[in-house]
Amino acid sequence: MRTNTLKDFFSGYTTYTPTITTEFQALKHQTASIGFGAMHPSEHCDPLGRGIILNNEFIFKNDKKDFVYSPQLSVFYNFLLVHGGVKLSFYTNFQDGGNIQFTPEVGIGYILFFLTYGRNIPIMDNNLIPVNKNNISLKILMPFGYIL
C-alpha cells in the first residue's frame, strides 16, 4: 500500500522551480510578506500546480509596539483557475508572546497571480497581538524560470 509523503509531493515527471513570493493582505490590518519556496506552476500542458512556501509576514501600524512578525509555512495546489492551500503562522511582536494560526485558503488565479480568501483559526491565541481573522490576499509567485 502506497502512502503520500513529502517526497511523493515533489516527485514524478514534474519539475519544481525555486520561487520568490510576495503577498499583500487587506482588511483590518494591512500586511506584506516575502518568501521563498519551490513550485510547479499550472500551465496548459499540466493544469495542476503545486508548491511549498516559507514566508515572512510583517504587520506595520503607527506605533512600534504594534509591529508584528510572522514566519509562515504554506502548501498549495491550484487547478486551472482554482487555488487552495493551507498556511501555518506564528505571529509575535517580540514583547507579548506568540500567536499560532492555521489558515485554510481558497481563491482564483492563474500561473503566477492569485486572489485568495483565508480564515485564521487560532491554535494558540494571544489577544495582545493584532491578527486578522479573515484575510483577502493578492499573491504573486515569481518562479526563477519565468523571471530570468
Side-chain angles (χ1 to χ4, degrees), residues 45 49 83 89 105 114 121 131:
C45 59
H83 177 85
S89 308
E105 297 179 319
F114 298 95
I121 300 168
V131 176

Side-chain angles (χ1 to χ4, degrees), residues 3 11 15 24 28-29 37 55 60 62 88 94 127-128 137:
T3 60
S11 66
T15 57
F24 305 96
K28 185 175 179 183
H29 306 291
N55 250 1
F60 295 99
N62 294 335
L88 187 63
F94 302 106
N127 292 331
L128 298 175
S137 303

Side-chain angles (χ1 to χ4, degrees), residues 111-142:
I111 300 182
L112 307 178
F113 300 96
F114 298 95
L115 184 62
T116 64
Y117 167 78
R119 171 81 176 182
N120 282 334
I121 300 168
I123 295 174
M124 182 180 82
D125 200 6
N126 180 345
N127 292 331
L128 298 175
I129 298 175
V131 176
N132 290 330
K133 286 193 185 253
N134 299 295
N135 296 314
I136 295 176
S137 303
L138 173 63
K139 297 180 183 210
I140 304 168
L141 308 174
M142 298 171 281

Side-chain angles (χ1 to χ4, degrees), residues 73-84:
L73 174 66
S74 61
V75 176
F76 70 88
Y77 281 91
N78 50 310
F79 181 75
L80 298 175
L81 299 177
V82 179
H83 177 85

Side-chain angles (χ1 to χ4, degrees), residues 40-115:
H40 173 74
S42 61
E43 299 176 310
H44 65 281
C45 59
D46 182 9
L48 180 65
R50 52 210 169 272
I52 187 166
I53 304 291
L54 293 172
N55 250 1
N56 296 288
E57 182 175 316
F58 305 94
I59 301 173
F60 295 99
K61 298 207 56 180
N62 294 335
D63 188 353
K64 282 187 176 181
K65 182 180 180 236
D66 288 336
F67 170 79
V68 176
Y69 168 72
S70 172
Q72 300 173 334
L73 174 66
S74 61
V75 176
F76 70 88
Y77 281 91
N78 50 310
F79 181 75
L80 298 175
L81 299 177
V82 179
H83 177 85
V86 294
K87 181 171 27 179
L88 187 63
S89 308
F90 176 74
Y91 292 93
T92 183
N93 62 3
F94 302 106
Q95 297 170 6
D96 299 319
N99 185 341
I100 298 175
Q101 302 279 331
F102 173 78
T103 310
E105 297 179 319
V106 296
I108 58 170
Y110 188 66
I111 300 182
L112 307 178
F113 300 96
F114 298 95
L115 184 62

